[in-house]
Amino acid sequence: MSQAVLDALKARFGDAILETHSDFGDDTAVVAPEKWKEIGEFLRKDLEFDLPVDLCGVDYLGRLPRMEVVMHLYSIARRHRIRIKARVGDADMNQAELDSLTSIWPGMNWLEREVYDMSGVVFRGHPDLRRLLMYPEFEGHPLRKDYPANKTQPLVPYRTEEEAGITLEKQPPFGPDEGMSFPRQVWQRPEEN
Amino acid sequence: MGDLSAPTRTVALDGNEAGFATTKFEALLNWARKYSLFQYPFVTACCGMEFMSVASPRFDVARFGAEAPRFSPRQADLLWVVGTISQRQAPVLRRIHSQMADPKWVLAFGTCASSGGFYDNYTTVPGIDKIIPCDVYIPGCPPRPEAVLDGLLLLQDKIARGDRTPRILKPREDPLTLVQLGHKKKDPS
Ligand code: SF4
């Protein structure tokens, strides 16, 4: 429904809009990361996108740039919505940086902290870029695809079986894959050719 | 006080109105304990809904003398761990448990508290027995109130026996699962 928004973006920013598509009623623009903030200002002021719905990071390991930051916006005033993506970061997630949008939408504050926490994208100019969900002692960014699926970082050391006096393996009726409809599948980094 | 487990002495009084029962002092104490479990509900996730159901009139946990919640661990006997315990909460849970006065019991309510459930990842403690001792485990996601009451009765039996072994698992009569896990032979019929 927001083809007009895409057209306005293309008319205004030209080459900085790398790609657009409209599938299933959702309109998406992939933009150049340098213009992230400028485009945000344009959307907020001129097209009245007043509600930042969501911000998240998607890791496409093996593709460059590796991390895709996805922003969903909605305009309560004009009732249109748009999805904006920017691709950042090399294979080791260096230069995974974007400008913070907190000065445009104050609600972006926690969303950007979450993306920083989970994916490790740094938002330049964020007033308080700390982890949001994980604890400060946590190392790494768990939603990156190269974070090992079975790696945990307990804050409290687990009891040993001698201390507990019992086995700490799952016992019946709890099976080894309790509650899961299939056993865990561990992702393997594809062989490099 | 002498040996607490020896039977108390009976004193026979004259007169037909006076009735006496003799028991062991410890048995009496355990009987009193099992029907006056003051609970500390450590409710963190969706299982809390089922906990409310157990605590409210329809299932009425008051029938078993376990209805009084205490929101101070110092006044509680029974720690209900209801829901998912994330790694971030683990220090809190351990502190609450160590603040409770002895004798104390711990009940793992639901699959998450018992084994981590399907949260087999970086966020979640795979079962509270990794950090604190646990007395009774109630399987189910979430367990039905009947299953919870069953688990509570298991705990009461355990208290009455004076049994402090670390774990009792509520058996789950789910023949298919038990066969799949190899705990039971497949019925030939
Ligand atoms: S066992 Fe199921 S219902 Fe209970 S806390 Fe875990 S996910 Fe929620």
Side-chain angles (χ1 to χ4, degrees), chain A residues 3-173:
Chain A
Q3 190 61 42
V5 177
L6 290 183
D7 294 341
L9 276 173
K10 275 190 261 187
R12 169 77 194 263
F13 291 98
D15 285 350
I17 310 298
L18 304 178
E19 202 182 293
T20 58
H21 52 85
S22 310
D23 291 329
F24 309 109
D26 288 331
D27 301 282
T28 308
V30 183
V31 307
E34 311 82 63
K35 298 276 183 189
W36 182 250
K37 188 165 183 181
E38 224 177 290
I39 290 172
E41 269 163 5
F42 174 70
L43 291 171
R44 176 72 186 89
K45 300 231 168 67
D46 297 18
L47 300 181
E48 285 186 79
F49 281 98
D50 39 16
L51 182 69
V53 178
D54 196 11
L55 184 76
C56 58
V58 187
D59 190 359
Y60 290 96
L61 191 58
R63 196 169 95 178
L64 285 175
R66 175 174 154 182
M67 188 67 73
E68 196 162 80
V69 179
V70 186
M71 167 165 70
H72 291 97
L73 298 171
Y74 181 67
S75 167
I76 297 173
R78 299 202 198 171
R79 298 200 187 165
H80 51 202
R81 57 177 81 235
I82 186 91
R83 182 192 296 138
I84 306 285
K85 296 181 177 181
R87 298 182 179 140
V88 291
D90 63 14
D92 297 317
M93 284 295 285
N94 299 315
Q95 292 115 39
E97 293 187 7
L98 281 176
D99 286 318
S100 169
L101 301 183
T102 43
S103 54
I104 304 170
W105 292 280
M108 279 290 179
N109 191 321
W110 280 22
L111 295 173
E112 288 179 354
R113 279 176 65 187
E114 185 192 352
V115 173
Y116 165 70
D117 186 0
M118 293 289 128
S119 311
V121 178
V122 175
F123 290 90
R124 283 181 298 241
H126 190 286
D128 180 26
L129 196 62
R130 285 178 294 135
R131 287 187 180 280
L132 181 70
L133 300 170
M134 304 311 291
Y135 31 96
E137 295 86 347
F138 194 86
E139 285 169 14
H141 301 280
L143 291 196
R144 287 191 186 170
K145 294 291 180 204
D146 51 6
Y147 185 90
N150 48 6
K151 182 175 170 194
T152 56
Q153 305 182 26
L155 279 180
V156 176
Y158 291 167
R159 302 191 304 158
T160 59
E161 306 215 327
E162 292 84 72
E163 257 178 273
I166 47 167
T167 167
L168 291 178
E169 294 295 305
K170 289 180 190 174
Q171 296 290 297

Side-chain angles (χ1 to χ4, degrees), chain B residues 45-47 83-84 110-112 118-119 140-142:
Chain B
C46 20
C47 270
T84 324
T111 298
C112 282
F118 48 73
Y119 299 105
C141 178

Side-chain angles (χ1 to χ4, degrees), chain A residues 132-135 142-143 151-152 154-156 158-159 164 166-168 170-175 178-180 184, chain B residues 87-88 90-91 94 111 114-115 117-118 120-122 126 129-133 137 139 166-167 169-170 172 181 183:
Chain A
L132 181 70
L133 300 170
M134 304 311 291
Y135 31 96
L143 291 196
K151 182 175 170 194
T152 56
L155 279 180
V156 176
Y158 291 167
R159 302 191 304 158
I166 47 167
T167 167
L168 291 178
K170 289 180 190 174
Q171 296 290 297
F174 300 104
E178 178 65 28
M180 304 164 123
R184 179 194 341 218
Chain B
Q87 298 286 5
R88 205 174 173 165
R94 198 177 59 166
T111 298
S114 305
S115 73
F118 48 73
D120 191 2
N121 59 17
Y122 61 95
D129 53 8
K130 302 290 182 300
I131 48 175
I132 56 174
Y137 301 68
R167 78 165 16 158
L169 293 159
K170 192 185 116 43
R172 178 162 65 190
L181 295 176
H183 302 306

